[in-house]
Amino acid sequence: MTVGEAGSREAGPRTPRPVKAGADDPVEVRMTVNGTPTALSLPARVTLADALRDHLGLTGTHVGCEHGVCGMCTVLVDGAAARACLLFAVQLDGTDIVTVEGLGRPDSLHPLQESFGRHHALQCGFCTPGFLMSSYDLLVNKPDVTEEELPEELSGVICRCTGYRNILTAVDETRRAHPEGIPGPGNRVRTALVGRAGQGADASGGPDEAADTASSGVQDIVLPSGDPTIAVRITTEIDLSEDRVWGVLDDIYLLARCLPGAELTDDHGDGHYAGRARVSVGPIKLAFNGVAQILEHDRAAGRLRAIAQGQDTGGAQTQADITLTTEATETGTAMHADAKVYLTGRIAQFGRALAGDVSRRMFEQFADAVTEAATSGQAPSGPVKAPSALSLVFAPLLDRVRRLLRGAGKRARPERGSSDPEHGSSDPERGSADRRP
């Protein structure tokens, strides 16, 4: 059901704030979107649909007719279905919004989403978010709806592929499985919300948090509570003592020079830093401005933990929680990196596999730069560039060739290999570039 349809449960009109603004004058709007408090500064004529898509990166809300006819932009406003193209964002100050992204997670879909997939209740998929949110509203507010009533009750959303039969079957199956009412949205968690308009989104905890930030001048980074886009654990061997490796990790400015594509621009004190980073993968080129915060720096325990976030002018945002640990080995130092990375905007289009490859290559380059800095006592001779698309394609193949060559060398010269039971010596040919697959 959507706003404007017979029998619909409309989002009730809200009392407008006493503010006058021109069509292009920015107005501050605070609302909760999928469980995340957000603050936006938007021109008065920006619709809720455009605010969600362009300023918060929630592109699951599709825009079809922009006249309130097709129903594809259906979202929940304070628990009731509404058409996002017919509402101005400035009307919704203080509201609670749920979009299709808040309905379920990729690893834990909502029963409606599971049923839609099971019955192939989508073809081109353009109307699917509207049908999901409209169906959810219907089954929450009218769980006793009959199978015969479904076509009329769901007539507020148009399927351009005319795949109505499977849609009705999916909704009816969900209705039968949950006669007392379906479960609530399963992905209402704090997360990073940044869109492609490059302005406005402040996923703060609300006015109090914003006031604290303004008074201190330094804002603590708050990571999303949901699952990361990618989570990787990477290990590399460095042919230097642990003490020499920490000679680099103890110097934040030297450490920053070892980060691929990164540059430290300011020290805000108390473990807070500002910087820039550049990433280029094929045609996608991103330049991030961001901040980092050192949470733990314990040389004795061999542990360094930092969190960071950055945003580019196109609205892409990345947040990361990275823990570096070191341990002494017979040949030098093993350095481990555990990273949880959250991506929104166009950078999220990389996909998990490619984003994981980029993360691994960047860490390998970082390890090489740390080795160079620890050996020379100085920053790397040139800027450490982020991995190119070509290196991402060929590096796995080259790694495999190197491992095969090393294996062939060990078989040909068993007296020099660490696997020789009679000698038990380490492989002297293994250098800092040797990494576990």
Side-chain angles (χ1 to χ4, degrees):
M1 296 298 297
T2 55
V3 173
E5 294 300 320
S8 66
R9 292 159 293 282
E10 299 188 10
R14 304 185 62 83
T15 302
R17 291 174 298 169
V19 61
K20 283 181 139 184
D24 294 314
D25 293 340
V27 179
E28 184 176 291
V29 182
R30 289 183 177 273
M31 51 190 172
T32 300
V33 182
N34 296 333
T36 299
T38 63
L40 297 168
S41 180
L42 301 169
R45 65 179 177 182
V46 172
T47 66
L48 174 61
D50 288 341
L52 292 172
R53 291 179 57 83
D54 295 337
H55 298 268
L56 296 179
L58 297 171
T59 54
T61 299
H62 292 170
V63 179
C65 65
E66 298 190 78
H67 293 287
V69 175
C70 70
M72 296 178 188
C73 63
T74 301
V75 298
L76 301 180
V77 178
D78 287 337
R83 287 175 175 164
C85 74
L86 293 181
L87 296 171
F88 292 115
V90 297
Q91 293 176 272
L92 303 175
D93 188 61
T95 58
D96 184 87
I97 310 294
V98 179
T99 70
V100 70
E101 288 91 346
L103 201 56
R105 304 197 315 268
D107 61 342
S108 181
L109 295 176
H110 190 274
L112 264 172
Q113 294 171 310
E114 291 180 335
S115 185
F116 267 58
R118 189 161 45 248
H119 292 283
H120 191 58
L122 63 156
Q123 291 184 40
C124 76
F126 199 77
C127 70
T128 304
F131 266 112
L132 284 169
M133 302 309 293
S134 186
S135 301
Y136 173 85
D137 174 70
L138 171 64
L139 296 183
V140 164
N141 291 282
K142 193 177 179 180
D144 57 349
V145 63
T146 66
E147 182 180 3
E148 291 73 21
E149 293 174 323
L150 284 178
E152 180 180 355
E153 292 286 354
L154 294 176
S155 62
V157 183
I158 296 174
C159 173
R160 300 190 295 190
C161 303
T162 66
Y164 295 106
R165 176 48 53 194
N166 289 354
I167 294 171
L168 295 173
T169 300
V171 176
D172 187 52
E173 178 188 80
T174 308
R175 175 188 67 85
R176 293 175 184 274
H178 301 275
E180 302 302 320
I182 60 175
N187 195 29
R188 286 175 51 81
V189 295
R190 189 184 183 107
T191 188
L193 296 176
V194 178
R196 53 196 176 185
Q199 59 170 302
D202 173 18
S204 67
D208 293 339
E209 183 176 316
D212 292 342
T213 299
S215 62
S216 67
V218 177
Q219 181 179 3
D220 285 342
I221 299 169
V222 179
L223 296 176
S225 59
D227 297 331
T229 307
I230 55 172
V232 295
R233 177 173 174 82
I234 307 164
T235 296
T236 189
E237 298 285 345
I238 298 178
D239 193 19
L240 293 170
S241 69
E242 193 174 9
D243 186 65
R244 294 181 67 180
V245 171
W246 273 93
V248 178
L249 301 185
D250 283 340
D251 186 335
I252 297 300
Y253 285 89
L254 182 57
L255 178 64
R257 291 287 300 275
C258 297
L259 295 170
E263 176 187 3
L264 191 64
T265 59
D266 202 358
D267 183 347
H268 294 301
D270 196 27
H272 293 75
Y273 302 88
R276 292 190 290 263
R278 292 177 174 82
V279 179
S280 176
V281 180
I284 300 179
K285 300 181 186 298
L286 304 171
F288 291 93
N289 289 312
V291 291
Q293 182 179 351
I294 305 296
L295 298 182
E296 187 176 355
H297 193 136
D298 190 339
R299 180 179 183 136
R303 181 179 173 89
L304 172 65
R305 182 183 175 215
I307 57 178
Q309 67 181 21
Q311 178 179 337
D312 85 328
T313 56
Q317 176 163 302
T318 179
Q319 293 180 289
D321 183 347
I322 301 173
T323 300
L324 290 176
T325 57
T326 62
E327 59 179 337
T329 65
E330 292 183 358
T331 58
T333 303
M335 185 163 63
H336 312 282
D338 290 279
K340 297 178 181 178
V341 184
Y342 304 83
L343 305 174
T344 58
R346 57 180 176 157
I347 191 172
Q349 298 173 7
F350 284 0
R352 293 175 185 266
L354 181 55
D357 287 342
V358 172
S359 300
R360 289 183 177 86
R361 291 299 157 190
M362 291 182 71
F363 180 69
E364 291 172 358
Q365 290 176 307
F366 166 70
D368 289 341
V370 168
T371 303
E372 181 183 344
T375 302
S376 65
Q378 299 178 347
S381 54
V384 183
K385 296 183 178 180
S388 67
L390 194 61
S391 71
L392 291 172
V393 172
F394 289 105
L397 178 60
L398 293 176
D399 282 350
R400 182 171 180 80
V401 171
R402 281 196 292 265
R403 289 197 298 270
L404 290 173
L405 290 176
R406 283 199 301 270
K410 290 178 182 179
R411 289 192 296 273
R413 298 184 300 276
E415 70 278 3
R416 299 182 62 189
S418 59
S419 61
D420 185 356
E422 295 184 4
H423 294 79
S425 61
S426 62
D427 183 2
E429 293 186 341
R430 184 172 61 186
S432 63
D434 183 11
R435 297 177 180 86
R436 299 178 187 177

